[in-house]
Amino acid sequence: GENVEQHPSTLSVQEGDSAVIKCTYSDSASNYFPWYKQELGKGPQLIIDIRSNVGEKKDQRIAVTLNKTAKHFSLHITETQPEDSAVYFCAASWLTNAGKSTFGDGTTLTVKP
Amino acid sequence: DTAVSQTPKYLVTQMGNDKSIKCEQNLGHDTMYWYKQDSKKFLKIMFSYNNKELIINETVPNRFSPKSPDKAHLNLHINSLELGDSAVYFCASSPRDRGNTEAFFGQGTRLTVV
């Protein structure tokens, strides 16, 4: 089955700095890679996703890159703000069954004002 | 309007009891899921279910069983609860349409077994 590794497990940055979270996956058949943000006491919420036919995707301060050959993908958050503080999960799945994802172990991001 | 709703939000119960967690989605999605999040925040899928197919993660004990009265509901039944079942359980749903893949999660049910 799929195995997703995520690093780092914790990340602390100063407000305004950039944050990068990296993930690797094992199953070359995976073709959908979502990123979820989980705030305290809430369920994970999709913030950005990327499909295997794309190398990079950007949405305002958030970007994701994918290297299918190396089987790794990364989340980049620029100009971080305190409200970006949360647990971030990467995941890998198939497009036809996106909810059946294998999740990374999560990264706790703290943005210091 | 709540997209995926779970009840109860908190559940405290004694070892050996049988309990259920309810989940409803009003998104018209075909597929629903149950995830378990342990104390270290690790998220693991337990079940994937649509009206044709139930896929069970082989690591899930058979004391756990999903029950779907209709397409919009997927309830989780747990028999003979154990201390190790304490966790946050998330219900989720997604469409099977390749053009729209986002999975929506409920707010979670924090289960504490004492």
Side-chain angles (χ1 to χ4, degrees), chain A residues 47-100:
Chain A
I47 54 171
I48 195 167
D49 56 14
I50 191 166
R51 303 182 185 194
S52 58
N53 59 347
V54 175
E56 185 174 355
K57 184 176 177 181
K58 190 173 180 181
D59 182 4
Q60 298 183 349
R61 297 186 297 109
I62 296 173
V64 59
T65 58
L66 170 66
N67 183 329
K68 269 198 73 76
T69 303
K71 296 203 198 82
H72 64 70
F73 56 114
S74 301
L75 177 71
H76 304 253
I77 306 174
T78 58
E79 300 172 25
T80 53
Q81 301 165 3
E83 50 264 40
D84 293 331
S85 295
V87 180
Y88 291 81
F89 292 94
C90 63
S93 69
W94 299 344
L95 268 173
T96 52
N97 203 353
K100 188 177 177 295

Side-chain angles (χ1 to χ4, degrees), chain B residues 40-112:
Chain B
K40 294 183 179 178
K41 302 287 188 185
F42 298 157
L43 263 171
K44 303 294 181 196
I45 191 163
M46 301 174 71
F47 304 101
S48 165
Y49 183 80
N50 63 27
N51 60 1
K52 298 177 184 175
E53 184 179 32
L54 170 65
I55 299 175
I56 302 171
N57 184 327
E58 62 274 9
T59 66
V60 175
N62 57 14
R63 298 181 294 103
F64 290 78
S65 58
K67 296 231 175 12
S68 180
D70 55 57
K71 186 177 157 181
H73 296 83
L74 184 66
N75 303 324
L76 182 65
H77 295 267
I78 316 169
N79 295 326
S80 303
L81 278 156
E82 300 177 358
L83 292 176
D85 297 332
S86 296
V88 181
Y89 291 85
F90 287 99
C91 177
S93 72
S94 71
R96 289 181 70 83
D97 177 0
R98 292 188 186 201
N100 182 6
T101 51
E102 180 175 353
F104 289 81
F105 283 78
Q107 296 280 57
T109 296
R110 182 174 293 277
L111 171 65
T112 303

